[in-house]
Amino acid sequence: MNDYLINLVTRICDRSEQLNNSQTISWQALREAEQLANHAYVPILYQYIANEPDKERRRAAGFIIIQLSRNTNDPEVIRFMLDRLRIEQEPDIITAIQQDLERGLPIPGYMNLDPLLNNALSLNNNVRRSALFALRGTNNPQVEEFALNLLKRTVNEYDIYYIVLLMHKVATKKSLPALKRLLEHPRQDIKGLAFATIADIEKEKEALFYARCLLRGQLKSEAMEAIYKYADESAIQAVITRITEMLTKRRSNGRLSLETFKNGFTDLMLGMEFLFRFRTAKSEVKKTFSWITEKRAEYLLPEEREWIHRNLVMNKG
């Protein structure tokens, strides 16, 4: 094999404790591999993976080839790695391949997904759940049907969570009845994810449902996010009521991590962003912002005070 690639594989597999600026040799090699874009390496790595007896070196080469696929926009590499799932026997290597597939290019809908679908039924937890993660990267319609059938016969609550994570990416209206049943699930994260999936399918059609949930204190964070994304002025009063409730007492900074979505907004910030759209047309919105700035400024978290300063103080008038 190419001398450079052999050297890179060797460094990725390096397990020495030698550090360079707190970064291991392996860590540096992985970051180097993430930047590769020489498509000529692909057939070389195909042959290497097919013939290399050492599983760790195959694993390293697989990581490299997925990075090349992503950086050169070559989805055919995915077909090769899916075929490897039929060949590999070690659960840790199968899991690693599936993790790489999840982080790589989307899996084209025309490719045979049987290796992933079969592994999603594995008795090994890591194999099973990494397969479900990898399936999130395809738009093949059979995945939704597969997830619904799997949900019917799964009792393990951790697996249910991974199935709903998959459905969050692939679900259509066909999945709505199953998702609505999950709103009664005892686990909060499963209920929340099911709610978010329903909202992303139904969008503005269920705006009143999101507002009712917010007023009833059901899945409040998820309801606030759905309102922020999809609701119209009919949700204004529900949001004002929720904001008033949130600011009846001081909150600690420790609450921030619980309230913050991936976009970095707390529930309160999402609510204020929503109300901000109607600040010039609705007197109750103006009154709410005045109440927040004049009576509850000390109750705001630092990020929320910054939001007030950026949106209300600096843009007065």
Side-chain angles (χ1 to χ4, degrees), residues 134-302:
L135 285 167
R136 297 173 80 233
T138 182
N139 60 3
N140 189 315
Q142 77 178 115
V143 175
E144 180 180 17
E145 193 63 39
F146 174 82
L148 285 170
N149 289 331
L150 193 55
L151 191 62
K152 290 176 185 176
R153 61 182 193 234
T154 301
V155 295
N156 183 304
E157 61 184 23
Y158 296 100
D159 284 346
I160 291 173
Y161 177 75
Y162 281 88
I163 294 168
V164 182
L165 270 176
L166 171 59
M167 295 178 73
H168 187 61
K169 289 292 253 183
V170 305
T172 65
K173 288 183 178 295
K174 181 195 300 186
S175 294
L176 285 173
L179 290 166
K180 288 176 180 178
R181 287 192 293 272
L182 287 172
L183 295 179
E184 304 301 321
H185 197 278
R187 271 188 58 161
Q188 186 73 14
D189 54 355
I190 290 174
K191 288 193 293 188
L193 191 54
F195 185 100
T197 306
I198 292 169
D200 286 344
I201 295 170
E202 293 289 67
K203 297 182 169 56
E204 66 278 359
K205 292 180 182 178
E206 289 289 351
L208 291 177
F209 171 64
Y210 314 144
R212 285 198 300 272
C213 287
L214 193 63
L215 287 172
R216 294 171 182 171
Q218 297 171 333
L219 297 165
K220 292 177 286 190
S221 291
E222 291 79 7
M224 186 70 88
E225 184 172 23
I227 287 171
Y228 165 75
K229 291 166 72 175
Y230 302 122
D232 59 16
E233 62 184 38
S234 63
I236 287 176
Q237 192 53 56
V239 173
I240 290 174
T241 299
R242 174 60 181 149
I243 286 177
T244 303
E245 175 189 294
M246 293 173 71
L247 292 177
T248 55
K249 58 183 179 181
R250 295 180 185 275
R251 295 161 299 145
S252 68
N253 285 335
R255 290 289 300 280
L256 182 59
S257 61
L258 297 176
E259 293 182 349
T260 301
F261 294 99
K262 59 186 175 183
N263 59 14
F265 279 17
T266 64
D267 288 356
L268 182 62
M269 290 163 70
L270 284 176
M272 292 192 297
E273 282 278 344
F274 172 76
L275 293 179
F276 195 68
R277 302 167 193 166
F278 309 101
R279 67 193 182 283
T280 60
K282 299 293 181 179
S283 60
E284 61 267 43
V285 172
K286 294 180 184 178
K287 290 178 183 177
T288 299
F289 279 128
S290 295
W291 177 75
I292 294 171
T293 55
E294 296 169 13
K295 302 288 182 66
R296 287 296 184 271
E298 293 183 359
Y299 285 34
L300 301 174
L301 299 176

Side-chain angles (χ1 to χ4, degrees), residues 19-38:
L19 298 176
N20 180 14
N21 296 326
S22 301
Q23 297 171 356
T24 65
I25 292 172
S26 178
W27 187 92
Q28 291 176 327
L30 289 168
R31 304 293 78 77
E32 183 179 329
E34 289 173 346
Q35 305 304 314
L36 292 181
N38 186 344

